[in-house]
């Protein structure tokens, strides 16, 4: 009864909760690979000063999760 749409409620719940990932080595490897891709994109952005909207969304989520974790 929060007044939010179901998907918005789930997103808010996940963003403002402690989320622990207990995954397989395969899942961890995939996450590491994606982070390497993001790192390469960031380096490219610093040179070109252009930012992909998907990358912005991913980075925003990572930053938000890290900020919540440090509280």
């Amino acid at each position: 009864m929060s007044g939010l749409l179901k998907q918005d409620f789930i997103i808010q719940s996940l963003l403002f909760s402690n989320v622990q990932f207990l995954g397989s080595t395969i899942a961890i490897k995939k996450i590491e690979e994606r982070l390497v891709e993001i790192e390469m994109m960031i380096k490219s952005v610093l040179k070109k000063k252009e930012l992909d909207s998907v990358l912005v969304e991913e980075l925003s989520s990572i930053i938000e999760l890290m900020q919540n974790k440090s509280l």
Side-chain angles (χ1 to χ4, degrees), residues 4-51:
L4 297 172
L5 295 174
K6 186 176 182 178
Q7 67 188 25
D8 294 330
F9 176 79
I10 292 170
I11 291 169
Q12 290 296 319
S13 296
L14 291 173
L15 287 176
F16 298 105
S17 301
N18 288 333
V19 178
Q20 294 183 350
F21 178 75
L22 304 173
S24 66
T25 55
I26 295 171
I28 293 170
K29 183 69 177 165
K30 292 286 185 186
I31 291 170
E32 288 173 346
E33 289 171 1
R34 185 65 182 134
L35 288 173
V36 168
E37 290 174 18
I38 291 172
E39 179 184 17
M40 290 187 308
M41 287 181 201
I42 290 171
K43 288 178 181 177
S44 173
V45 165
L46 292 174
K47 291 179 184 176
K48 297 179 185 176
K49 297 185 180 179
E50 295 177 11
L51 201 54

